[in-house]
Amino acid sequence: AEVLVATIPLTAYCMWRAEEVWARKWYFVSFVLMLAAALLTFSRAAWIALFVVGVIYMFFYKKISRESFMSAAGVILITLLPFIVYMIVFIQSPIVTSSNATRFDLTGIAWSAFKEHPLLGNGVGSFVPLVEETRLFGLEYGAPLDAHGVFQKLIAEVGLFGTLAFMVFVGWCLVRLWSSWISRSERSASRALLFCLFLSAAGSFVFQLFNTSYYGAHLWLPVGLALTAARLFESSSV
């Protein structure tokens, strides 16, 4: 689901730019299959990330009216109704309720670790050992787990200073991409690509609010591609 959130906007761009009819149909089928696969994982993080990406697209790129947005939202809601109903049932299953309890307890451990070392944290990579030291967690859930959210992990490992530094860096990345997009001419070939790359990076960041792979390529590859494209297009008129 995490990979699909980052690649779905790029597939939409390929579909839009394809000149041959067969290629456009191929990308359209790929887009639909990838979107269905992401939804059928029933990853709540993926659903939220895709929803945020869709809202950004409709409000800032298409610039649709409020009435049109509500109409589009209604059509999407009706289309996804079977998935939504199953998601509601799935959330009430023992698997998900156990997962929610785990997330809640991990958040409590992160908060306790933050209070012990609020400024600089306990060190990068220390969260799992902190969970392992919590015997009650082991008795309840078994093997120690990593945090189920970027902020829980950050406040425990790098404290207030590290968390603020990470937020500033993420904000800079998004502002950099956004400013590069709005500076392009509306008819330029690079404008749509930059916006899809921005959606890919934004969706990846939203996904990390409920995940902790922000030291891996799943997050930084799409962000790096987007920043590279913004840099390359700075001196280009394309």
Side-chain angles (χ1 to χ4, degrees):
E2 183 179 6
V3 175
L4 291 173
V5 166
T7 54
I8 284 174
L10 304 181
T11 307
Y13 171 78
C14 293
M15 177 177 61
W16 177 74
R17 288 289 295 171
E19 296 181 357
E20 295 83 0
V21 176
W22 68 267
R24 187 169 299 177
K25 291 181 179 179
W26 171 261
Y27 283 121
F28 174 75
V29 172
S30 301
F31 175 83
V32 172
L33 290 176
M34 292 168 67
L35 183 61
L39 294 176
L40 288 172
T41 62
F42 292 100
S43 166
R44 289 166 290 177
W47 281 48
I48 294 172
L50 290 173
F51 175 78
V52 172
V53 167
V55 170
I56 294 174
Y57 170 78
M58 286 190 286
F59 267 110
F60 294 102
Y61 192 77
K62 283 300 185 181
K63 299 179 181 179
I64 64 176
S65 63
R66 185 173 181 270
E67 293 76 12
S68 299
F69 173 76
M70 296 302 295
S71 299
V75 173
I76 294 173
L77 182 64
I78 294 174
T79 304
L80 298 180
L81 187 59
F83 298 98
I84 295 173
V85 171
Y86 187 84
M87 173 64 88
I88 295 174
V89 176
F90 181 65
I91 288 176
Q92 299 173 354
S93 66
I95 296 175
V96 177
T97 54
S98 176
S99 174
N100 293 337
T102 306
R103 289 173 182 268
F104 181 79
D105 289 339
L106 288 172
T107 301
I109 294 173
W111 180 247
S112 298
F114 171 74
K115 289 190 293 184
E116 291 181 2
H117 302 281
L119 296 181
L120 300 178
N122 296 270
V124 175
S126 62
F127 189 87
V128 174
L130 288 171
V131 176
E132 191 173 9
E133 293 174 3
T134 307
R135 294 185 59 190
L136 185 60
F137 185 91
L139 293 173
E140 182 71 23
Y141 304 107
L145 301 173
D146 206 348
H148 285 283
V150 60
F151 286 110
Q152 295 94 312
K153 189 175 177 70
L154 286 174
I155 62 173
E157 292 189 351
V158 296
L160 181 62
F161 289 162
T163 303
L164 291 176
F166 184 82
M167 292 173 62
V168 170
F169 179 66
V170 170
W172 176 84
C173 291
L174 294 177
V175 171
R176 176 75 176 80
L177 296 174
W178 183 261
S179 60
S180 179
W181 174 69
I182 62 176
S183 65
R184 309 301 300 172
S185 170
E186 291 191 2
R187 295 185 178 181
S188 64
S190 59
R191 184 178 174 89
L193 175 59
L194 285 172
F195 190 73
C196 288
L197 288 168
F198 171 80
L199 292 179
S200 177
S204 298
F205 280 131
V206 172
F207 195 97
Q208 294 308 314
L209 294 176
F210 314 95
N211 201 33
T212 52
S213 60
Y214 50 88
Y215 291 137
H218 288 169
L219 172 63
W220 297 113
L221 178 60
V223 175
L225 289 174
L227 292 173
T228 301
R231 179 68 182 88
L232 290 175
F233 286 137
E234 275 185 349
S235 57
S236 172
S237 59
V238 178

